[in-house]
Amino acid sequence: LQKCDLHRLEEGPSTTTVLTREEGLHYYKTMQTIRRMELKSDQLYKQKIIRGFCHLYDGQEACCVGLEVAINRTDHVITAYRAHGFTYARGVPVREILAELTGRKGGCVKGKGGSMHMYTKNFYGGNGIVGAQVPLGAGIALACKYFGKNEVCLTLYGDGAANQGQIFETYNMAALWKLPCVFICENNRYGMGTSVERAAASTDYYKRGDFIPGLRVDGMDVLSVREAAKFAVEYCRSGKGPILMELQTYRYHGHSMSDPGISYRTREEIQEVRSKSDPITLLKDRMVNSNLASIEELKEIDVAVRKEIEEAAQFATTDPEPSLEELGNHIYFNEPPFEVRGPNQWIRYKSVS
């Protein structure tokens, strides 16, 4: 594996690792599923079946998959609004993710969250406000420590959010209280349409914690991410406090579906990353060259994944929308009765569906 750059660490993750056939096939299928799911989301958005905000994750699959396989299901993850990959990696089926994107009641949050707000057990979602999830992640890590659970929280944010003041405030508190928090900057080189060089005086995001140790990782290699995450999580579990990871990655789509993604970077740049650093292709070549899998086997996985995505998309476009009565649920813990009032307070609206 490529050696990580280190900050305030004498030793880093191992540069060698073992990949079993079962692991390789699992990683390949998971990344391919996320890739196909995002491409289908792109298609549904262009057909105006998905509306509103939509931030796609294709190109960054090695990050969420490598992180997820390095932690336990009882550990915690919180991220920004580019959340579909993490939602799937945390165990939510594709059909529930696509149904959430199309606003249907079969979605993972009943069609009421959409692209930016998906949740499941120990996954605290996409968060729409830039950088706001970082203090929340420290709060989750504080809860882990307070209740004496040997758990950690992975707190993710992008290079665009990395310059936010609240992130440095959170570093300070996490270091003071030795919280089991892994701060992870997914550096995909552009914060919206602004390159990192134009936005940050220092692009060494792994050093931004100053007094917090950090490491910079090849975020396009799922095994590099896995080993670095194992190292970081072990550091936190041992009671040493927080650690910072910078994953160097790349998004193929624009910032969101309203951004064509080629006004501030060239098609040639995107194509070069695709041809040289694609996370799925890198793993595929590694497995084939090591005789862990044949090209035919991997093609069979591709076919099965496409079939699964098509079936999920069919569900997401035919499942009914949530009823009007559902709108008030999940606001309060005990769900008191909720009615939608019109301009005349004596009129109560009911769902026509």
Side-chain angles (χ1 to χ4, degrees):
L1 304 175
Q2 187 178 317
K3 195 171 186 293
C4 294
D5 297 317
L6 305 179
H7 171 64
R8 288 185 180 264
L9 289 167
E10 290 180 9
E11 287 181 47
S14 173
T15 53
T16 58
T17 188
V18 174
L19 176 69
T20 66
R21 172 180 154 79
E22 290 71 28
E23 287 171 341
L25 291 173
H26 170 61
Y27 303 166
Y28 180 82
K29 185 180 180 190
T30 308
M31 288 199 291
Q32 192 67 275
T33 302
I34 294 168
R35 174 72 54 88
R36 290 282 153 204
M37 177 177 74
E38 296 298 63
L39 293 177
K40 177 56 72 173
S41 301
D42 171 82
Q43 184 185 338
L44 293 172
Y45 197 95
K46 286 169 179 169
Q47 293 171 348
K48 297 189 176 179
I49 296 169
I50 294 173
R51 311 298 287 261
F53 293 104
C54 186
H55 305 82
L56 302 183
Y57 200 71
D58 49 323
Q60 299 183 212
E61 295 89 352
C63 296
C64 64
V65 176
L67 291 169
E68 182 59 42
V69 297
I71 61 175
N72 304 323
R73 280 293 191 206
T74 50
D75 289 321
H76 308 266
V77 179
I78 187 168
T79 188
Y81 39 72
R82 203 177 303 280
H84 309 163
F86 285 97
T87 309
Y88 180 73
R90 287 259 87 183
V92 177
V94 176
R95 58 188 273 146
E96 290 187 24
I97 296 172
L98 288 181
E100 189 56 43
L101 288 169
T102 56
R104 311 302 170 113
K105 70 178 185 181
C108 54
V109 285
K110 314 290 187 194
K112 294 187 282 189
S115 174
M116 297 198 292
H117 306 290
M118 297 185 181
Y119 309 91
T120 188
K121 188 169 175 58
N122 297 335
F123 176 60
Y124 306 85
N127 289 265
I129 305 300
V130 176
Q133 72 280 4
V134 179
L136 297 180
I140 296 164
L142 174 61
C144 293
K145 184 170 183 175
Y146 181 81
F147 290 117
K149 297 178 177 179
N150 193 24
E151 297 168 358
V152 301
C153 181
L154 305 188
T155 300
L156 291 111
Y157 54 97
D159 52 274
N163 302 313
Q164 289 254 339
Q166 60 190 331
I167 290 178
F168 297 91
E169 294 174 40
T170 306
Y171 290 162
N172 184 55
M173 293 173 77
L176 279 173
W177 298 342
K178 284 192 160 43
L179 300 182
C181 189
V182 185
F183 295 107
I184 302 167
C185 176
E186 287 186 290
N187 176 8
N188 60 26
R189 291 166 47 181
Y190 297 94
M192 296 189 73
T194 307
S195 67
V196 291
E197 293 80 12
R198 291 176 58 217
S202 168
T203 57
D204 291 335
Y205 296 105
Y206 70 110
K207 294 181 179 177
R208 291 285 196 91
D210 187 14
F211 37 80
I212 297 175
L215 54 159
R216 181 159 57 192
V217 187
D218 178 5
M220 301 302 266
D221 178 3
V222 68
L223 297 183
S224 290
V225 176
R226 181 186 75 176
E227 293 310 303
K230 282 182 180 176
F231 175 89
V233 166
E234 187 52 44
Y235 180 94
C236 282
R237 280 200 217 282
S238 65
K240 294 177 184 172
I243 191 167
L244 208 157
M245 285 173 69
E246 176 189 343
L247 304 181
Q248 292 191 310
T249 185
Y250 198 82
R251 56 170 161 81
Y252 293 160
H253 268 83
H255 168 73
S256 69
M257 284 301 297
S258 59
D259 167 22
I262 49 171
S263 57
Y264 49 87
R265 58 183 185 177
T266 61
R267 282 194 170 90
E268 290 72 30
E269 178 184 306
I270 302 166
Q271 196 51 49
E272 185 180 9
V273 176
R274 279 183 178 273
S275 60
K276 292 181 180 176
S277 310
D278 183 78
I280 298 174
T281 307
L282 287 176
L283 179 64
K284 180 180 182 179
D285 292 345
R286 197 176 244 158
M287 290 180 69
V288 171
N289 295 337
S290 306
N291 296 319
L292 286 178
S294 66
I295 289 175
E296 289 70 30
E297 272 183 296
L298 297 177
K299 278 184 179 172
E300 284 176 18
I301 291 175
D302 296 349
V303 170
V305 165
R306 285 182 191 230
K307 184 171 182 287
E308 181 190 357
I309 300 298
E310 287 303 324
E311 288 172 356
Q314 183 66 27
F315 172 75
T317 51
T318 55
D319 192 51
E321 294 181 358
S323 67
L324 190 65
E325 288 80 14
E326 270 282 313
L327 282 177
N329 294 347
H330 309 113
I331 293 176
Y332 297 102
F333 174 68
N334 59 356
E335 295 194 359
F338 181 92
E339 293 175 301
V340 180
R341 290 194 310 188
N344 183 324
Q345 61 177 318
W346 291 278
I347 296 175
R348 296 287 183 267
Y349 285 92
K350 294 291 179 188
S351 172
V352 293
S353 61

